[in-house]
Amino acid sequence: MTLYDVLRDRASSAPDRPLVVTPELTLTYARASARAEAFARGLSARGIRRFACVVADAAELLPLLCASSAVGSEASVFPRDLDDAIIDDYLAWFEQPVVVADRPLEVTRAQMLALEDLAIETGPIERFGNGSPTLILTTGTTGKPRGVRHDWERLLGGTRTADDQAGARWLLAYNLNQFAGTQILLHVIKNGATLVAPKSNQPPDAVVALREHGVTHVSGTPTFWRFVTALIDPSTSRSLPLRQITLGGEAVPAAVLESLTKLFPNAKISQVYAGNEFGSVGSVRDHRSGLPVSVLSRGEDADVQVRIVDGELQVRSRFGMLGYYGEPDVGDGWLGTGDLVRVEDDRIVFIGRATETINVGGVKVHPLPVEEIAGKVPGVDLVRAYGRPSPVTGQIVALEVVLRAGADRDDVERAIRAACESLLPAARPRLIRFVERIETRGDKIARPRAQ
Amino acid sequence: MPEVEQTVVEAIQKILRRKQIEASVVPESEIAGLGLESLDVAELSAILEDDLGRDPYSAGVLPRTVGEIFEWYRT
């Protein structure tokens, strides 16, 4: 079944159920299905086999993506805050012949179509081929993203159905150009749930949506949750109907789990491990870092298998990407995740990204264990470890620290240094800088590649 | 003491204090003799770069004494 088929199926069984709730409107499954049908006719009539989407409104974007799956047209959602010159670059990089947009664009590399130009009320819907491709761009730290080719049917295959989804309202805390946003979209439609799209995915707007739209399920990065927990008054948090909290996308600091448990004692808290290339590997609910070692023992028949090679976690998934844009299919082979891990007792513990390793005089230092120790020091709100170039040792470990309100800078620095005495000398932070904020990118702590 | 030299001495003293080394930092003090190891010198280089805009180590100079650091900033 394509995403479109699933949408139509849900629309026929519960036509008046809301699919998307935005600050401006509520889109029911029936109306979404009709809109997707109109878009599918337009894609079919115009022969659009590949296109880019610059559409901010989730109530338009969801039907458009469903329509693309109906005809086998490869849609690619661009980040919504790009300026026109960058959109033109993206169109050239990914050779998109058409861009469908909800605002006028000054682009030269592709034909621009307004949403209303694409929606056709009558006419046939014809498929271009057997597959239902989509292209999900990476949110890389460098200028040019990579296009990751997926298939809607494979992605749907890896999307679980859950028993508790009747009346579930999922907050869209990611953008729909991100793989994590696509996962939420798939989960909502497959389970007949409702997507609550805030004005933006910034934490203040997310908190407004939580309060005003009865959100029951939220998936976000630890960085997102850290900001959200700071914005929610503990005296009112229990009145929110939140049932499920999911964290993913980066390492989960113990302090964030602790805050969430205090604020929402009745909500289940899960940590997911997933990536654009390999899809979802699994989730844990035991409030401990990392993955259970049992994932290494999944049999050859398992849909998603996991192994460790030279300290890197590798995944083989039946639901993963087809390949990168411009490159051959990867098949169902093993994919490196870029995540460095080690096994500690019954746990696979994440120690950093391969590209983030800090080389201190030949000693490889991973930033996550340093952050984990420093992050537990009282008075530390947020911390980032990184490699600072050094003419003496190649790099040294440096820390950026955001202080909690009222904490004393000197006391905190002393406490961090004392806590880090447990690390190897090369891994101990040599420079500690106190900053007002730490830069984030795509809702995660921004991590420049090691220099 | 000129401001630059004061900054250099304070940076070295900060590192020494953390290493619980008691020593007077004077122009004749040898860097190695004070007990600064390579990681300490790497830290000193970064502090001087941040506080004074440049540092001898990044310029490829390896001062033997504190006085040679002072001298490098005078040139």
Side-chain angles (χ1 to χ4, degrees), chain A residues 360 388 390 417 430-431 433, chain B residues 18 40 42-43 46 49-50:
Chain A
V360 183
R388 167 158 174 165
S390 165
R417 291 195 186 279
R430 304 299 307 204
L431 286 182
R433 300 283 180 208
Chain B
R18 232 178 36 239
D40 303 318
E43 178 179 342
E49 187 187 20
D50 284 353

Side-chain angles (χ1 to χ4, degrees), chain B residues 22-67:
Chain B
E22 285 186 25
S24 60
V25 180
V26 294
E28 296 74 29
S29 305
E30 293 197 359
I31 306 292
L34 286 169
L36 295 187
E37 298 165 302
S38 60
L39 277 168
D40 303 318
V41 175
E43 178 179 342
L44 176 64
S45 158
I47 293 173
L48 295 179
E49 187 187 20
D50 284 353
D51 291 351
L52 300 173
R54 61 193 184 107
D55 77 284
Y57 301 96
S58 297
V61 175
L62 283 174
R64 192 178 56 82
T65 64
V66 174

Side-chain angles (χ1 to χ4, degrees), chain A residues 2-258:
Chain A
T2 67
L3 191 60
Y4 175 70
D5 297 328
V6 178
L7 175 67
R8 280 172 35 122
D9 182 67
R10 302 293 175 268
S12 66
S13 58
D16 296 328
R17 184 179 295 166
L19 169 62
V20 182
V21 175
T22 73
E24 290 82 28
L25 58 85
T26 295
L27 181 75
T28 63
Y29 270 81
R31 285 181 50 211
S33 178
R35 188 71 167 156
E37 203 172 327
F39 284 142
R41 288 193 197 100
L43 290 169
S44 184
R46 291 174 179 272
I48 298 171
R49 291 169 180 264
R50 303 184 67 237
F51 66 102
C53 310
V54 179
V55 177
D57 184 356
E60 293 284 24
L61 192 50
L62 259 70
L64 183 57
L65 293 175
C66 290
S68 75
S69 79
V71 298
S73 176
E74 184 195 81
S76 178
V77 181
F78 283 5
R80 61 196 209 179
D81 50 359
L82 296 181
D83 65 36
D84 290 3
I86 305 289
I87 289 172
D88 239 359
D89 287 340
Y90 274 51
L91 292 169
W93 289 334
F94 299 108
E95 302 171 287
Q96 305 282 8
V98 172
V99 52
V100 177
D102 61 358
R103 63 179 170 89
L105 299 176
E106 287 186 20
V107 293
T108 58
R109 307 295 184 97
Q111 178 196 359
M112 207 206 99
L113 271 181
L115 287 164
E116 288 318 312
D117 295 335
L118 189 65
I120 299 177
E121 293 311 317
T122 56
I125 296 174
E126 289 171 11
R127 290 189 60 81
F128 298 126
N130 290 327
S132 55
T134 185
L135 188 72
I136 302 176
L137 308 186
T138 59
T139 49
T141 52
T142 52
K144 184 177 176 180
R146 296 187 87 177
V148 182
R149 295 187 288 112
H150 282 280
D151 183 276
W152 286 115
E153 290 188 51
R154 274 168 75 95
L155 289 170
L156 275 168
T159 305
R160 70 182 181 91
T161 50
D163 297 331
D164 67 342
Q165 295 297 296
R169 288 184 161 230
W170 280 81
L171 182 77
L172 184 61
Y174 294 97
N175 288 318
L176 285 170
N177 63 288
Q178 296 173 279
F179 182 74
T182 306
Q183 283 185 303
I184 305 293
L185 173 160
L186 287 159
H187 191 87
V188 163
I189 294 179
K190 190 166 182 177
N191 285 282
T194 297
L195 187 73
V196 174
K199 189 175 162 198
S200 79
N201 66 347
Q202 293 305 305
D205 287 330
V207 172
V208 169
L210 277 179
R211 289 206 178 105
E212 294 184 357
H213 297 295
V215 169
T216 56
H217 293 62
V218 185
S219 178
T221 62
T223 299
F224 167 83
W225 280 113
R226 191 181 288 109
F227 285 112
V228 165
T229 52
L231 291 168
I232 291 180
D233 180 354
S235 66
T236 61
S237 61
R238 290 184 192 211
S239 64
L240 296 171
L242 206 52
R243 304 203 305 253
Q244 171 69 49
I245 290 168
T246 304
L247 302 100
E250 58 183 347
V252 181
V256 174
L257 280 176
E258 203 178 301

